Amino acid sequence: MRSDVIADAAARPGEQQVAPAGVVPPRKEKQPVTAGVVVAYVCVVLAAVIFAVPLVYALFSALKPNDQIFAVPPTLVGDEVRWGNFVEVFRFGPFWTYIGNSFFVAIAGTIVVNIVSTTAGYAFGRLRWRGRDVVFVLFLVTLMVPQEVLVVPMFQLMQWLGWVNTPQALILPFAFTAFGTFLMRQFFRGIPYELEEAARVDGAGPLRTFGSIILPLARSAVAVLTVFTFISFWNSYLWPLIVVNDYGYLGTLPIGLATFSGQFGTRWDLQMAASIISMIPTAILVIVLQKHLVKGIATAGIAGR
């Protein structure tokens, strides 16, 4: 079976078709700039400024002395610019350990969630089996249960398994997410069924079809799921706070940020600097996968037959 030929035959969302040789494609007329377009751009710029103001204030606060964070009247820049605050963050506690643990938990959790969500989404969206829709509805019902309600039974389960203060306790309880399964199911349902039928004629089974045809066409949806899952694990605070006993061994970045507030006060300058450092990996991930994110968000909600 030549799965590459079959995959290339599918028209991917947003892909431009190349005109044959010797054929001049028609020119696209420039759309006139209307008042609605101007208003839309102004609204986008204002929204960007509103969202950027807290980040800018946090960055400048990280460069201030601690006693000038809440100065009255407030100032954007302090009397001196302390770039050393970013270095002092790593001397305040085991911050490198927090970063390493967060990377391990976020990457491992993202891999597990991607595997579970893509396979479950394929089973719910492409395969036909008795009770599929009923099971899927029950699966979606878990979205209505807040995490705070599940903390006690999950912790009891971790105690029964002997997983308290272990890496698997930070990853596996959140491996089966209804959101990821729903996202992948919706995207898979938008892929033409003719590709699957052609693969079946060539002798491919469900697993071969999933790995060679369906999954390569779902790169954008996988990118969306990757970003959302990575950020969720990276910013998780409540569950690591409960299931981890030795923060110096398995503490993550959100727990590390809380250590700057202690019995004798809060080092706001170091906490702001640590917050800026903790935002860098997620910002890089979003920038790298930006093209796939836009395409995936635009097409993931389009359902097929």
Side-chain angles (χ1 to χ4, degrees), residues 76-176:
L76 185 62
V77 182
D79 295 340
E80 57 177 317
V81 178
R82 292 190 174 182
W83 293 100
N85 287 342
F86 290 92
V87 178
E88 192 174 351
V89 164
F90 298 93
R91 299 173 181 170
F92 192 86
F95 206 73
W96 283 116
T97 301
Y98 299 146
I99 294 177
N101 291 337
S102 290
F103 268 112
F104 173 76
V105 171
I107 294 175
T110 301
I111 293 174
V112 173
V113 169
N114 280 346
I115 294 174
V116 173
S117 298
T118 52
T119 52
Y122 178 69
F124 284 122
R126 309 292 295 193
L127 303 181
R128 295 178 176 87
W129 43 280
R130 181 175 298 181
R132 180 189 66 176
D133 296 336
V134 175
V135 175
F136 182 67
V137 171
L138 295 176
F139 207 59
L140 290 182
V141 169
T142 60
L143 289 174
M144 297 185 291
V145 182
Q147 179 184 352
E148 291 77 9
V149 177
L150 301 176
V151 164
V152 174
M154 283 198 307
F155 182 77
Q156 291 177 341
L157 179 61
M158 294 301 105
Q159 280 186 321
W160 181 71
L161 294 174
W163 286 1
V164 175
N165 202 45
T166 59
Q168 57 265 31
L170 296 172
I171 300 171
L172 295 183
F174 302 99
F176 306 94

Side-chain angles (χ1 to χ4, degrees), residues 267-284:
R267 289 297 305 270
W268 295 105
D269 53 344
L270 300 186
Q271 195 171 60
M272 290 294 182
S275 300
I276 296 297
I277 295 174
S278 67
M279 287 187 290
I280 294 176
T282 54
I284 294 176

Side-chain angles (χ1 to χ4, degrees), residues 1-297:
M1 183 193 67
R2 301 186 60 185
S3 58
D4 53 345
V5 178
I6 299 176
D8 291 339
R12 299 178 181 176
E15 184 177 350
Q16 296 180 354
Q17 301 296 329
V18 180
V23 178
V24 179
R27 292 185 178 181
K28 294 183 179 180
E29 297 182 359
K30 294 184 178 180
Q31 297 294 333
V33 179
T34 60
V37 174
V38 175
V39 171
Y41 274 98
V42 171
C43 291
V44 170
V45 172
L46 288 178
V49 171
I50 292 173
F51 280 100
V53 165
L55 300 178
V56 174
Y57 182 78
L59 176 60
F60 281 97
S61 297
L63 301 176
K64 292 181 182 179
N66 190 46
D67 55 356
Q68 295 183 11
I69 299 293
F70 298 104
V72 180
T75 58
L76 185 62
V77 182
D79 295 340
E80 57 177 317
V81 178
R82 292 190 174 182
W83 293 100
N85 287 342
F86 290 92
V87 178
E88 192 174 351
V89 164
F90 298 93
R91 299 173 181 170
F92 192 86
F95 206 73
W96 283 116
T97 301
Y98 299 146
I99 294 177
N101 291 337
S102 290
F103 268 112
F104 173 76
V105 171
I107 294 175
T110 301
I111 293 174
V112 173
V113 169
N114 280 346
I115 294 174
V116 173
S117 298
T118 52
T119 52
Y122 178 69
F124 284 122
R126 309 292 295 193
L127 303 181
R128 295 178 176 87
W129 43 280
R130 181 175 298 181
R132 180 189 66 176
D133 296 336
V134 175
V135 175
F136 182 67
V137 171
L138 295 176
F139 207 59
L140 290 182
V141 169
T142 60
L143 289 174
M144 297 185 291
V145 182
Q147 179 184 352
E148 291 77 9
V149 177
L150 301 176
V151 164
V152 174
M154 283 198 307
F155 182 77
Q156 291 177 341
L157 179 61
M158 294 301 105
Q159 280 186 321
W160 181 71
L161 294 174
W163 286 1
V164 175
N165 202 45
T166 59
Q168 57 265 31
L170 296 172
I171 300 171
L172 295 183
F174 302 99
F176 306 94
T177 61
F179 168 77
T181 302
F182 175 76
L183 177 69
M184 299 308 303
R185 172 187 179 270
Q186 292 301 104
F187 194 92
F188 288 154
R189 285 171 63 89
I191 297 176
Y193 278 79
E194 288 75 14
L195 296 176
E196 202 167 356
E197 294 172 357
R200 192 178 300 113
V201 169
D202 285 346
L207 292 179
R208 178 73 181 277
T209 304
F210 171 72
S212 301
I213 298 177
I214 303 298
L215 195 58
L217 295 176
R219 287 193 298 265
S220 299
V222 173
V224 174
L225 180 61
T226 298
V227 171
F228 286 171
T229 305
F230 185 90
I231 293 176
S232 177
F233 276 103
W234 186 265
N235 294 333
S236 179
Y237 174 72
L238 179 61
W239 180 244
L241 183 67
I242 294 174
V243 80
V244 173
N245 297 330
D246 187 359
Y247 297 145
Y249 168 61
L250 277 179
T252 55
L253 263 178
I255 295 178
L257 294 177
T259 59
F260 293 101
S261 299
Q263 181 180 359
F264 302 101
T266 301
R267 289 297 305 270
W268 295 105
D269 53 344
L270 300 186
Q271 195 171 60
M272 290 294 182
S275 300
I276 296 297
I277 295 174
S278 67
M279 287 187 290
I280 294 176
T282 54
I284 294 176
L285 181 65
V286 171
I287 292 173
V288 171
L289 298 178
Q290 182 179 8
K291 183 178 70 174
H292 295 287
L293 283 175
V294 174
K295 184 185 298 184
I297 293 175

